[in-house]
Structures are given as C-alpha cells and as structure tokens.
Amino acid sequence: QVQLVESGGGLVQAGGSLSLSCVASSSTFSFDSIGWYRQAPGKERELVAAMSSDGSTNYAGSVKGRFTISRDNQKYTVYLQMNSLKPEDTAVYYCNAAQWGQGYENDWWGQGTQVTVSS
C-alpha cells in the first residue's frame, strides 16, 4: 500500500510563496504520474500540476508560470513551489500518485494540506 504524506501548507498573503512537499513510501519513478490536485470549498477537485515518470510536466492553466513541480527521488519526495499566490489558490491541496497498465489503474491520495491566501 502506497502512502503519501503532504506538508507545507499554511496561511500566506496574496503575492507570497509557499512550498508543499509530498513524501511517498516508494520511489517516485515507480508511478506513471505523481502530482498535486486541489479542492476549494464547493468546488470539484482539480489538477494543479503533475509529473510523469519520464519527467514531463502538466500544469493547470491557472497556475502556469507561478507554480513549479519538481521531485527528489532520493528522498521519495515531490514538491510544489507556489509563487505569486492569489486568493483563488485557497484550497486543500492533495498529493496524488497513479499507476496504470493493461486492465488496471491504481490511484493513491495523501490526506491533504490546507493553503489559505489572504487578500
């Protein structure tokens, strides 16, 4: 069973920065995708940023140029550097890891970490 543990959330003023970390219980290269989703009150969970096993990245349009996903596989850790934060970035941020293949898909989630951006 894969475990994902997030940290780094908090309260920040608009324009500020935060860095989130997600420590996985196994190598990040063992996943086809690992990344971050967020869910704001009353809204659906949405993709923020994800990284494939080959290192390619995918960002939501609303965070491109402000957020950066990276990983340190020696530490089994994925990071999300968030700059120029806006009040609309306020949400619970979840780490996600996924594996898929012929006839199967596995999906794991962390417990979430709250990010609050004040105006």
Side-chain angles (χ1 to χ4, degrees):
Q1 180 71 7
V2 173
Q3 292 184 326
L4 303 170
V5 179
E6 303 107 331
S7 62
L11 173 65
V12 65
Q13 288 189 331
S17 298
L18 278 176
S19 180
L20 305 182
S21 300
C22 171
V23 181
S25 57
S26 60
S27 168
T28 60
F29 288 116
S30 66
F31 306 117
D32 291 292
S33 176
I34 187 164
W36 296 90
Y37 286 69
R38 67 186 180 188
Q39 188 166 20
K43 295 189 177 180
E44 293 189 354
R45 191 172 296 190
E46 63 175 358
L47 172 71
V48 177
M51 180 176 285
S52 300
S53 55
D54 65 1
S56 59
T57 57
N58 183 31
Y59 292 93
S62 60
V63 308
K64 275 184 181 178
R66 299 189 298 122
F67 291 11
T68 303
I69 188 171
S70 62
R71 67 184 171 195
D72 182 340
N73 196 56
Q74 287 188 327
K75 297 181 179 179
Y76 290 4
T77 301
V78 174
Y79 303 97
L80 185 68
Q81 178 63 42
M82 305 184 293
N83 298 327
S84 302
L85 283 160
K86 305 175 181 180
E88 51 264 42
D89 294 318
T90 295
V92 178
Y93 284 69
Y94 297 92
C95 184
N96 169 265
Q99 287 178 334
W100 55 81
Q102 190 171 6
Y104 76 94
E105 179 175 347
N106 295 321
D107 222 2
W108 296 276
W109 295 90
Q111 81 284 358
T113 185
Q114 177 70 46
V115 171
T116 303
V117 184
S118 63
S119 57

